[in-house]
Amino acid sequence: MKVTAKVKQTKSRQISGILKRFRSLNKEDVKVGFFEEQGIHEDSEMSYASLMTILEKGTSDGRIPSRPVFETTAFQLHPSSTQKPKSIITNMIKDLGTKDTVGKRLDELGRLYQDHVKNKFGNSAVKGNTKNAESTIKQKGKNAPLVDGEDLKNNVAFKNSKTKRLKLG
């Protein structure tokens, strides 16, 4: 009888621990974009975050068109409608009994969104990526929205709430 009680008590503690970790997932997140610690974009002399905000939203005078690559990515990869993020989140929940997997799954999710955003740079076929003006195409020699060089694209980063480390792709 005592053996049964110990088994039940141990299982109860394990389940309690898993439930606690499950509830703690509500506090976890992944941020994808540009961060203060990345410093200044050399060509624009603005922070990467400020520059991308202008490029994402456009300007009210229309001289810089809106190119909502982050907004489009968030919509296209929403976990309720797309298999890949849903699968990562499901695996994160399944792995709750395993130590240190939440950070790894958050990184996996961050990398997915990071890659998706980066693939929109220079692609005028992407919804919301307005074609460059003819004068810009002449200057660049091609129609590649959001790409003057590779600097902005290569600095799309992510960090998760577990490790808080900036990760470039």
Side-chain angles (χ1 to χ4, degrees):
M1 196 72 121
K2 288 183 180 180
V3 173
T4 305
K6 286 182 181 180
V7 170
K8 285 183 180 180
Q9 190 174 32
T10 301
K11 287 200 181 273
S12 177
R13 284 187 192 143
Q14 288 172 341
I15 291 169
S16 178
I18 291 170
L19 285 172
K20 183 178 177 181
R21 287 192 293 275
F22 181 75
R23 282 187 216 102
S24 75
L25 285 179
N26 195 37
K27 299 174 193 159
E28 305 299 342
D29 66 15
V30 176
K31 293 179 172 87
V32 178
F34 298 96
F35 301 88
E36 185 179 324
E37 59 263 37
Q38 288 178 274
I40 302 295
H41 179 263
E42 192 174 311
D43 293 340
S44 69
E45 297 179 358
M46 301 172 73
S47 72
Y48 283 94
S50 295
L51 175 60
M52 194 62 218
T53 298
I54 292 169
L55 295 173
E56 177 92 6
K57 301 293 182 190
T59 56
S60 58
D61 64 6
R63 292 186 66 207
I64 298 175
S66 170
R67 294 198 168 95
V69 296
F70 286 95
E71 184 180 315
T72 305
T73 297
F75 178 75
Q76 290 173 338
L77 288 180
H78 194 277
S80 67
S81 61
T82 307
Q83 188 56 41
K84 187 64 178 175
K86 191 186 298 185
S87 172
I88 294 169
I89 292 167
T90 300
N91 287 335
M92 188 183 314
I93 293 167
K94 285 180 186 175
D95 292 344
L96 281 175
T98 312
K99 194 173 179 172
D100 298 329
T101 57
V102 172
K104 290 174 187 170
R105 295 294 182 188
L106 290 171
D107 280 351
E108 190 178 347
L109 199 56
R111 184 128 0 255
L112 172 70
Y113 280 84
Q114 177 190 45
D115 289 345
H116 206 277
V117 166
K118 287 171 75 171
N119 287 333
K120 290 178 176 6
F121 280 73
N123 186 346
S124 60
V126 172
K127 183 181 178 183
N129 248 4
T130 308
K131 181 182 175 190
N132 280 325
E134 289 303 320
S135 59
T136 303
I137 294 171
K138 282 181 183 176
Q139 182 184 3
K140 286 182 174 183
K142 60 185 174 186
N143 181 33
L146 299 172
V147 178
D148 288 334
E150 295 291 314
D151 187 44
L152 195 60
K153 178 180 177 178
N154 290 339
N155 277 286
V156 174
F158 72 92
K159 57 183 170 180
N160 74 55
S161 54
K162 211 72 168 148
T163 64
K164 297 177 178 47
R165 284 191 305 260
L166 190 71
K167 298 187 181 185
L168 298 171

